[in-house]
Amino acid sequence: WGWRLGWNLDLEGSINGLQFFVGWPVIFVLLLLFCLWEFQREKQGKRDYIETGNVRKYVLRGIAVIVLSGIMVLILCQIFEELWKALGSMELLRFSISWGNYRGGLWYLSVLGWLQSGIKDKLFGVGPDCFYYFLYRYFDVNEFLAEAGLGETVYANAHNEWLNMLINEGVFGAVSYASIFVCAFRRIWKNRAIAGILMAALLALGGYVVNGMFSFQQTVSTPLIFAVLGMAEAEIRRENGSL
């Protein structure tokens, strides 16, 4: 709902950071009111809905429904143009070259280049931080940039951590890297009841994985997520008496 409020205030059809997050203060106020309500109930000695797990259960279910619904709408908009037009022909809902500040075009070139590469590059990659040489070897990126009106922009990565890993480190490297997060998620999920901090670690892990679909490794985020995974593992081992 808050997201929709921010969207409706965009009168020119373009989305910038300020317009997109206009609705978030509404969500913040609602959460604040809920916390105050819970605090008052605790003072009165009444049942704490958060500790019983009911609130968390319904929130997680609600998030799952919203995410799955969004994915379904996104898929259907690629298939049925009438649906896309009925939803206001929002660029966000239909992939194109210009989708996501031209991430659509960059991803298209990246996938096409990977498919055209040799078996060695597919399996083992072109090398760390070699995306630029890979992309400009296969395509006249400057022509693409000129058509997009992006001037002399230089693409040093795919603006998608997982696609970037596939190209630089190949299938073996990408699968190995993704396995770190899959195994970490599985272990933390199995032990989530040990401490509340583990649920925070799960949220951080999920947020990082999703953000990686549209961004790339940063010194302010990648080391931090591995630090979070380390703290979560330490908490699990401490509670299990193996630390």
Side-chain angles (χ1 to χ4, degrees):
W1 179 40
W3 168 80
R4 189 64 191 175
L5 285 175
W7 190 284
N8 285 339
L9 289 176
D10 179 10
L11 301 180
E12 298 179 356
S14 62
I15 305 174
N16 57 46
L18 178 61
Q19 291 167 324
F20 188 80
F21 289 102
V22 165
W24 287 111
V26 177
I27 298 176
F28 175 77
V29 170
L30 292 176
L31 289 175
L32 179 61
L33 291 174
F34 175 76
C35 291
L36 292 175
W37 177 66
E38 276 289 306
F39 177 73
Q40 186 64 29
R41 288 180 59 84
E42 186 176 353
K43 286 181 60 177
Q44 297 174 357
K46 296 182 179 180
R47 186 182 185 187
D48 191 327
Y49 287 104
I50 295 180
E51 290 184 357
T52 61
N54 289 333
V55 171
R56 183 173 60 188
K57 178 175 65 177
Y58 291 122
V59 167
L60 290 176
R61 288 180 178 177
I63 292 175
V65 170
I66 292 173
V67 171
L68 292 176
S69 299
I71 293 174
M72 182 61 66
V73 169
L74 192 61
I75 294 174
L76 292 175
C77 282
Q78 315 312 309
I79 303 173
F80 303 106
E81 185 175 358
E82 294 77 10
L83 175 61
W84 176 62
K85 291 181 178 179
L87 293 175
S89 300
M90 293 185 290
E91 185 178 353
L92 181 68
L93 296 179
R94 194 172 178 88
F95 286 112
S96 64
I97 297 298
S98 60
W99 187 90
N101 288 333
Y102 289 91
R103 279 176 172 79
L106 181 59
W107 294 349
Y108 172 76
L109 293 179
S110 300
V111 172
L112 193 61
W114 183 81
L115 292 175
Q116 294 178 5
S117 63
I119 186 66
K120 180 182 71 68
D121 288 347
K122 282 187 174 72
L123 294 179
F124 301 102
V126 297
D129 292 326
C130 289
F131 178 86
Y132 169 83
Y133 301 100
F134 156 83
L135 188 67
Y136 286 73
R137 178 177 65 186
Y138 285 106
F139 304 103
D140 186 356
V141 181
N142 291 323
E143 181 181 348
F144 165 74
L145 294 175
E147 292 179 359
L150 297 179
E152 299 181 356
T153 304
V154 175
Y155 285 114
N157 61 75
H159 285 262
N160 180 312
E161 183 172 346
W162 312 107
L163 181 56
N164 204 64
M165 184 66 65
L166 177 65
I167 293 172
N168 287 341
E169 277 72 37
V171 172
F172 290 142
V175 171
S176 300
Y177 182 66
S179 297
I180 297 174
F181 297 95
V182 172
C183 293
F185 186 90
R186 182 173 180 272
R187 179 164 173 76
I188 297 173
W189 178 263
K190 287 177 61 178
N191 295 277
R192 66 188 184 281
I194 291 178
I197 192 175
L198 296 181
M199 284 301 299
L202 282 176
L203 291 174
L205 179 58
Y208 181 84
V209 169
V210 173
N211 178 72
M213 297 177 183
F214 310 97
S215 186
F216 48 91
Q217 293 175 329
Q218 303 270 0
T219 56
V220 296
S221 58
T222 303
L224 181 60
I225 194 61
F226 280 98
V228 169
L229 296 182
M231 289 187 287
E233 178 64 23
E235 183 68 20
I236 293 173
R237 295 191 181 191
R238 184 178 67 83
E239 293 294 333
N240 291 335
S242 58
L243 184 63

